[in-house]
Amino acid sequence: GSGGGSGNAAAQMKVVGSSTVYPFTTAVAEVFQRANPGSSVIVESTGTGAGIKLFCEGVGGQTPDMVNASRQMKASEYETCAQNGAKNVIEVPIGIDGLTLIQAKEQAPLNLTVDQIYKALAADPFGKGANKAQTWKDVDPSLPATKIRVLGPPPTSGTRDSLAELILTKGCESDPAMKELKKTDEDKHKSVCTKIREDGAYVEAGENDNLLVQKVSADPGALGVLGFSFLEENADRVSPVSIAGIAPTEATISDLSYPGSRKLYVYVKGEHLAAKPSIKSFIEAYAKAWGKGGPLEKKGLVPLHDAEATAATAQATGLKPLDPSSLK
Amino acid sequence: MNSASAAASRWTGEEMQKRVAGRYRAERRFRFFGFFAIGISVAFLAFLLITMAWQGLGGFSRTEARLTVNFATSDLFLEEATLRGPEAQEAVASAGLEGVIEQAAVAQFGEGAGELFGGASARSLGDQLIEDPSLLTKKAELWIPLSSKADVAAKGEGDPALEKLLDKVDTKRVFNSEFLTASDATDASVVGVWGALKGSFLTILVTMALAFPIGVLAALYLEEFAPRNRWTDIIEVSINNLAAVPSIIFGLLGLAVFLNFMHLPRSAPLVGGLTLALMTMPVIVIAGRNAIKSVPPSIRDAALGVGASKMQVVFHHVLPLALPGILTGTIIGMARALGETAPLLMIGMRAFIASPPEGITQPASVLPVQIFLWSDEVDRGFVEKTSAAIIVLLVFMLLMNGLAIYLRNKFERRW
Amino acid sequence: MTLSIALVAVLLLAFAAGLFARRRAVGLRGGGARLNSLPGYHAFYVALWAALPALLLLAIWTPVQTGLIEQSVLSSPVGQKLPAFDLARDTILTEAREIAAGDREAGFNAESSELAPIYDAATSRYAAVGGSIAIVFALLGAFLSMRRIGVDFRARSSVERWVMGLLVAASLIAILTTLGIVLSLLFESLRFFQQVPITEFLFGTTWSPQTAIRADQAGSSGAFGSIPLFWGTAFIGAIIAMIVAIPLGLMSAIFLTQYSPPKLRAWLKPMLEILAGVPTVVYGYFAALTVAPVIRDFGIAIGVSSASSESALAAGLVMGIMIIPFVSSMADDSIAAVPQAMRDGSLALGATKSETIKKVLLPAALPGVVGGVLLAVSRAIGETMIVVMAAGLAANMTINPFESVTTVTTQIVQLLTGDQEFDSAKTLAAFALGLLLFVITLILNLIALRVVRKYREAYE
Amino acid sequence: MIETIVPNPTESDEPSVVDGPAKMSARKVGVFYGEKQALKDVSVDIHDDKVTAFIGPSGCGKSTFLRCLNRMNDTIAGARVVGDIELDGDDIYASRMDVVQLRARVGMVFQKPNPFPKSIYENVAYGPRIHGLAEKKDDLDGIVEKSLKRAGLWEEVKDRLQESGTALSGGQQQRLCIARAIAVDPEVILMDEPCSALDPIATAKIEELIHELRGRYAIAIVTHNMQQAARVSQRTAFFHLGEMVEYGRTKDIFTNPVQQRTQDYITGRYG
Amino acid sequence: MIETIVPNPTESDEPSVVDGPAKMSARKVGVFYGEKQALKDVSVDIHDDKVTAFIGPSGCGKSTFLRCLNRMNDTIAGARVVGDIELDGDDIYASRMDVVQLRARVGMVFQKPNPFPKSIYENVAYGPRIHGLAEKKDDLDGIVEKSLKRAGLWEEVKDRLQESGTALSGGQQQRLCIARAIAVDPEVILMDEPCSALDPIATAKIEELIHELRGRYAIAIVTHNMQQAARVSQRTAFFHLGEMVEYGRTKDIFTNPVQQRTQDYITGRYG
Ligand SMILES: Nc1ncnc2c1ncn2[C@@H]1O[C@H](COP(=O)(O)OP(=O)(O)OP(=O)(O)O)[C@@H](O)[C@H]1O
Ligand SMILES: Nc1ncnc2c1ncn2[C@@H]1O[C@H](COP(=O)(O)OP(=O)(O)OP(=O)(O)O)[C@@H](O)[C@H]1O
Ligand SMILES: [Mg+2]
Ligand SMILES: [Mg+2]
């Protein structure tokens, strides 16, 4: 490459990736820039998949230095990275987020199980034909007879992946036959377990979560799917739906007992560390911020727990490259 | 004379009177509908503006609370000398003022009062210390801005617990000048629009500098010079069609051409401006052509007749007469460019950038993207900041259009 | 920064040459001759020749110089010691350049401070070379063109040829942009059509891009029938929004030009234009939180049980308001431009104002009105935020305005800004949609062109 | 260039000027364009059965006065009219005056031909259509044909009625505008130099038309052609520098004007 | 000035009057508007020291022909000119002809007055400015004043030179356009009914102007006024239905026309 590109590339760090991690990284970036005048961190929210793709395009001034991810990097993605010269990928877990279901505050608190949710939302529950459930009562007689109406992310969103992965698949696999199916016909399994109905019960609500909160709070009976931080911030308007009796709280998410919990990561390109020493300081600043009582917790990030927390802090200073075999 | 009176009775006769009355009714209906149309549009605009002002004016103010800080007894490691020195800013930033404030707040207002103060509080305290380092030795009573959460509560829309707590606190509303001078931040209490405003300004400057001349020249060529043949038809249709291309596709084009091919810097106003210029140009061309078409041919004849060249006719007569219409196109095109988000997302202008751009090649954000991002922020404090930023955007737009509108009114002529 | 000095020098030189040429031309006229062209044209001609070749040279030289400087810096003793890894080297070089330019005081890397003076020296050296060549070019251009000044020299035609070139170039930009768009859509679309049969895409009636973009992602099947999207686009953008925007916009324009006092018009017209510049997020919120619930309640009240809070009507109505100024301002200008004699002719026959407007002014102003409407439709088609927020993302084929529909552009934006992968049908579908939309609007524009040509009434 | 002007002999047995109720009467009319007074103190009568000619040097206010008579001055920004003008005894500037009907009753042919950018047919049919003067297409065709014939244009355009009115020659446009005005059958017809672009034959046709219409309509005509004024009019008003210098029987004005200025103008000695 | 008259009406390729080299000469000129032929086979000479008048009924193609002489027809979409027209021996439709310079040399006054929507001063000053005829403001003022005076408009507008040219009366606009055309000092002046909206006195002024200019410029004038044609011109061409019926010395045409049609038209018997 040529040094002809303008901008002060050296002092500049580029971060791309998940929109869930975006607010946390920007918060750290802000503090970091104030403490290190002249440095600049550019954080762009592109979604995890696209972020990793940009990240893995290779090494050099044109590619990002870090990527935010709301899930672990896939083995296939790592392979692309390695092929393009970025062999030295460093994984830093930064905390936990919860995928929560919300409802209007004035509604009676609802308690669902993952398979009830699956039965209500799947396009083809357990492969037994199109979903005909109109009310929650149709799903399970113990539930109220309110119309099923769930506002959630569109298929293009990373949160939708989480919904499918953390809740729907689990609900689906409550039927052992489905677990079997996974071994015999993976495609079929995926279709049956993750495809969401399109007859209006599930409303694709775009990516603006504040709007989703407002719509849910104004629409009694409707549920919404979004990140834990929004629930926390809007606790006066909406209340959480418990899953299997567990309500999403910091505690339940942090010990991963709440089904909708997921870990968040930042990946660093090891090759860039030498050229941009500031990356190291940035990750250190990150580690300072993610602890219990730290500024990121205020922003809705749930801190890691005990051993994991220690490991993460160690990783933030040690910056050990990823072992590809640990990836799925 | 018979026929004369017949004619007279024809116009004043009953049937004609009825007909005229009907036509007048139609006239009144028409006029009323016109009035109604403009009324609706204006009422709608007023509604939007008023709601935005209502929600957004709060964004220009912030709540400050009176807090007694005893620096003498606090565990603050700061020396007066450093505060007077050149490194004062950094010293203050790393001194842990948050802790000092929290301590003082808890001491003064009781448990949980730590939530009252946040990022902006520490910053403001730091500024006050730098201004008057002698405070360090005293027990001082200071006005400190509240955290964004507490600010929202103080404005009556937040956490009831906090509101209760605030009852005990002595607060006042002050103008938040930082909103206009600071840049993006993650803490709603310290955000500002300056960075985005500057980014928008630079971007729109690039757009205007390219789209206006190119648009006008293209319109002149197509309307005045181009032979009427298949080629110019292709140009004409393709320009009209460009206006219908969704803006995001211009983003794709910008991504492919300016970033991937020309390697211009990502997130920069230069690229944003170029992309928006491509998007705006068709609007200016279309409006411009219509304006040029409506210049009566006799004016051209007159100028040609005294020996003006085609070029002179166009630049001396047609262009000035068509200018109002061209400016209209420019105004709505620029307004659109100024409020556009989608294509800028594609070329990286959605990045979090906490410092204002220094030039057109520096990473920058723009107001609409800033608004778009803020509207999706978790923190409730961003709601009014979003509206406030919209107000800034609209004011900016009006100022920008002001000149064009002035020129348009000046050049408008009826013949 | 000596190149910018050279730039200024060239411009000054061109200016001076222009002035000199003007003097000479005036002098010729003083000799009693009648010049073919005004002295100003001679001046302009000479200035163009002095400036343009030199500027072109500078434009070419600038990137060349960067490479040369870099080479010379790297071949210096310090430069040879730099790490071979290009990112690290580039970073140091960039830092050195910035220090040399005075943009920063020190870099992260110690080498950069050492390199800075070398960088500085190389920069001045090459800039001096490039600058002098440019100035020589400018002088040569000025000198040669100056020799052509004469009584019979058609300076005006020459200058006008330049201007003409500029005009043609400006129009060609539109073609290039179109070409660029087609190219940037075409290849990805072709890849899409390798995965999804084109017939399904064109004629399929279900749209559900739930297909997996990675081997392990949610959703596995996908339906890529674009018809519901195009229907939704037409329904919201071309039908509902236009039902709002055309009458309101047109009548506003008529009121402003024909009925309102000029002072009021001077205020109201720019006010309406604000509507076009309000960020669409604002409209989106308004549509979703204020209009949509009202419409849903209304729908339920009149017995439409399927009325949802995401409705085509809510999005279309608000979008219609947003594009009012496109119709009103352009119609206003065109109507105002119809000669007064036309108006007088009609009024003198005893026509009422509204008859005059409807039967004489509007037909005469037709091109402008149609132009405005086309722009408005275009804008409506391209709008996403309002649709996402108020009409939802569900691709329903329905003519019930109380139901949720989605549009092509919205889907494109969702597909492109969401989680994406550039070789899955899901992301590629965005390009195919873009291309198809492009083709359809192209056809519509061709028709519009024909229609307008046919019905245009040229006055005088 | 003194030419013998022979006044219309048919009017020799006319009684005095101020006789019979006038169709339109103007009293002390003045017009201001902004600050500038373009017309002052004009008092003129227009009679049903007579043609009134307005003569005077260019820029003296003839067109301005004509435009007062059907309130076309309303459309000029900054134009202001003072004084009284009555049509059949009603003040046309009264607030309850119906301007639309006024203009239908007082038709006008403008000095500069201003055909609509429509077909020739539509140009003529426009007025009858808006006033509902024809019920059927046939009736309308009839009106169009008759009007074009009377304006002496029919022969030239009968094969191209669907062509644009703006693609006609200057004189054809002028006749088209005359046809358009008479097609609505007004009570008063104001013609501002209707023959300025016409050749002698076409002029003769228009004059014939005026003669023919005279019995039924009140007609006012502005002309620079003294012979024409003398030929077609029974009353003549002479304007000069915004004032009406003299008004009276055409015969008297042309043979025995009271004012020296009139005398000078008519004999071409003016200026 | 002795004129050799070689009457040769049968030789259609040559104009019937041959005397000295013509400033402009048209041979077998025809004009089509789209499919329709508006003019055919016109051959006329325009001389430096003579005024040529074009007469003929309305719509016969006079304006069309005039517009051919400085290629103003180029601006009408669909108009097509055939035949040869030469200015000083150069074919004006040749590709190397500089149309702009041609129009500067061959000035034109249009049938419908078309002032620019600029001030009166700017209207007249525009031509001299673009041709660089005045170096200083004073010179320009001088040209404007002289042109307005020659067009007989100066007295009426000298106090309001900054007012818009479109706010003038019809006749004033016409004179303004004449002033504008003569301000650039062209070699040939084409006037399309320059006096149609003018009163006799103003007409006399323009005629005087024509007489005055005749020695220096070639002048062509379209008029419907036979007397005017007879007064001001030395050569007359009579057009009818798109054909040039007769061209010759004015005296001959008016006293002793060769063609019956000419005879009929001049004596007003036509039609
Ligand atoms: N732009 C045009 N398109 C089509 N036909 C036209 C156009 N201009 C003129 N004509 C036709 O060409 C013929 C000659 O028109 P021209 O204007 O030359 O007549 P003219 O002799 O000047 O008449 P007038 O004395 O009425 O001005 C007429 O029949 C007219 O209708
Ligand atoms: N719209 C206007 N604004 C200002 N002044 C005007 C306007 N129209 C006409 N005038 C002026 O008013 C005076 C009278 O004009 P008017 O048109 O009535 O003259 P006229 O008698 O019809 O002349 P002509 O025979 O030349 O048409 C003239 O001095 C003219 O310049
Ligand atoms: Mg007049
Ligand atoms: Mg003519």
Side-chain angles (χ1 to χ4, degrees), chain D residues 168-172 197, chain E residues 58-64 111 192-193 222 224:
Chain D
L168 292 175
S169 83
Q172 288 167 337
Chain E
S58 165
C60 65
K62 306 178 295 295
S63 302
T64 300
Q111 182 165 9
D192 201 346
E193 305 195 27
V222 170
H224 282 303

Side-chain angles (χ1 to χ4, degrees), chain B residues 35-311:
Chain B
F35 184 76
F36 173 77
I38 194 111
I40 287 215
S41 315
V42 169
F44 188 87
L45 180 70
F47 178 82
L48 268 187
L49 292 183
I50 290 169
T51 2
M52 259 169 336
W54 182 256
Q55 290 170 358
L57 283 181
F60 291 101
S61 71
R62 67 179 180 199
T63 319
E64 295 190 347
R66 193 177 8 222
L67 184 68
T68 317
V69 189
N70 190 344
F71 290 99
T73 61
S74 75
D75 45 4
L76 186 66
F77 299 108
L78 260 182
E79 288 181 21
E80 271 193 68
T82 355
L83 285 184
R84 293 186 205 280
E87 267 142 34
Q89 285 294 351
E90 279 163 59
V92 164
S94 55
L97 291 173
E98 286 91 347
V100 176
I101 293 176
E102 192 165 341
Q103 260 178 15
V106 172
Q108 201 175 337
F109 309 117
E111 211 35 54
E115 290 225 10
L116 286 180
F117 298 96
S121 323
R123 253 201 236 179
S124 157
L125 180 62
D127 290 345
Q128 293 185 32
L129 281 176
I130 291 169
E131 208 167 278
D132 180 10
S134 67
L135 286 176
L136 275 179
T137 55
K138 294 184 218 159
K139 178 170 171 176
E141 204 166 75
L142 298 169
W143 282 101
I144 305 277
L146 294 177
S147 73
S148 111
K149 217 170 180 173
D151 192 41
V152 173
K155 288 166 185 164
E157 299 184 30
D159 199 345
L162 264 179
E163 277 179 41
K164 238 201 203 127
L165 189 62
L166 276 169
D167 289 342
K168 288 191 271 179
V169 184
D170 186 10
T171 57
K172 68 173 182 189
R173 288 283 282 274
V174 297
F175 175 66
N176 180 6
S177 63
E178 261 184 25
F179 184 69
L180 293 178
T181 56
S183 294
D184 196 10
T186 54
D187 182 342
S189 62
V190 294
V191 291
V193 288
W194 176 241
L197 189 62
K198 200 167 168 195
S200 267
F201 179 74
L202 293 173
T203 307
I204 221 70
L205 208 64
V206 174
T207 305
M208 184 108 83
L210 291 170
F212 183 70
I214 293 180
V216 171
L217 293 182
L220 285 178
Y221 175 73
L222 289 176
E223 208 49 52
E224 294 288 331
F225 296 100
R228 297 267 170 262
N229 60 27
R230 200 140 38 94
W231 281 105
T232 49
D233 277 1
I234 291 176
I235 296 185
E236 169 161 7
V237 169
S238 74
I239 285 182
N240 288 354
N241 194 43
L242 279 183
V245 170
S247 56
I248 182 120
I249 291 188
F250 284 98
L252 282 180
L253 181 69
L255 179 70
V257 175
F258 302 128
L259 295 187
N260 295 343
F261 179 68
M262 290 165 75
H263 294 295
L264 296 175
R266 201 173 159 86
S267 306
L270 175 64
V271 177
L274 283 166
T275 308
L276 292 182
L278 291 183
M279 191 191 83
T280 314
M281 189 197 66
V283 178
I284 299 180
V285 176
I286 293 175
R289 294 189 60 177
N290 287 329
I292 292 167
K293 256 186 218 143
S294 59
V295 175
S298 69
I299 302 289
R300 295 183 182 84
D301 281 359
L304 288 173
V306 292
S309 72
K310 189 84 195 168
M311 207 57 89

Side-chain angles (χ1 to χ4, degrees), chain E residues 37-212:
Chain E
Q37 182 155 16
L39 207 61
K40 58 173 174 278
D41 271 352
V42 178
S43 300
V44 164
D45 280 344
I46 295 169
H47 291 268
D48 255 352
D49 49 355
K50 299 189 186 69
V51 175
T52 311
F54 298 125
I55 59 173
S58 165
C60 65
K62 306 178 295 295
S63 302
T64 300
F65 180 64
L66 221 54
R67 291 174 70 102
C68 291
L69 296 178
N70 65 348
R71 294 188 55 177
M72 282 305 294
N73 273 334
D74 291 9
T75 67
I76 298 176
R80 199 158 48 82
V81 179
V82 298
D84 292 319
I85 303 179
E86 288 179 0
L87 171 65
D88 284 339
D90 297 328
D91 179 4
I92 67 168
Y93 281 87
S95 58
R96 25 164 257 307
M97 177 45 98
D98 180 345
V99 186
V100 171
Q101 217 164 5
L102 168 71
R103 296 205 185 112
R105 291 168 65 191
V106 184
M108 180 152 193
V109 176
F110 294 85
Q111 182 165 9
K112 263 199 211 180
N114 53 356
F116 299 128
K118 296 175 183 278
S119 73
I120 296 173
Y121 184 94
E122 285 302 323
N123 260 286
V124 183
Y126 180 71
R129 239 200 263 278
I130 57 170
H131 295 300
L133 301 187
E135 263 157 63
K136 288 187 293 284
K137 175 90 175 73
D138 277 356
D139 296 355
L140 197 59
D141 289 354
I143 293 181
V144 170
E145 179 172 343
K146 192 171 120 214
S147 309
L148 284 171
K149 274 192 175 139
R150 281 174 149 186
L153 189 60
W154 178 249
E155 286 305 316
E156 285 160 66
V157 301
K158 66 176 180 231
D159 304 324
R160 42 193 274 219
L161 288 176
Q162 294 315 316
E163 267 177 44
S164 172
T166 51
L168 292 175
S169 81
Q172 289 168 336
Q173 289 187 11
Q174 202 167 38
R175 283 173 287 160
L176 179 63
C177 292
I178 294 174
R180 186 175 66 188
I182 57 179
V184 298
D185 211 7
E187 296 165 28
V188 181
I189 302 182
L190 312 174
M191 297 185 177
D192 201 346
E193 305 195 27
C195 304
S196 65
L198 300 186
D199 58 280
I201 300 124
T203 304
K205 268 223 189 89
I206 299 298
E207 289 181 6
E208 217 169 80
L209 171 71
I210 293 173
H211 276 298
E212 181 197 327

Side-chain angles (χ1 to χ4, degrees), chain A residues 167-186:
Chain A
I167 296 181
L168 297 182
T169 311
K170 278 186 201 161
C172 171
E173 288 178 354
S174 64
D175 178 353
M178 292 295 114
K179 261 196 182 135
E180 266 323 287
L181 183 66
K182 180 162 191 178
K183 288 181 199 128
T184 53
D185 186 349
E186 199 166 339

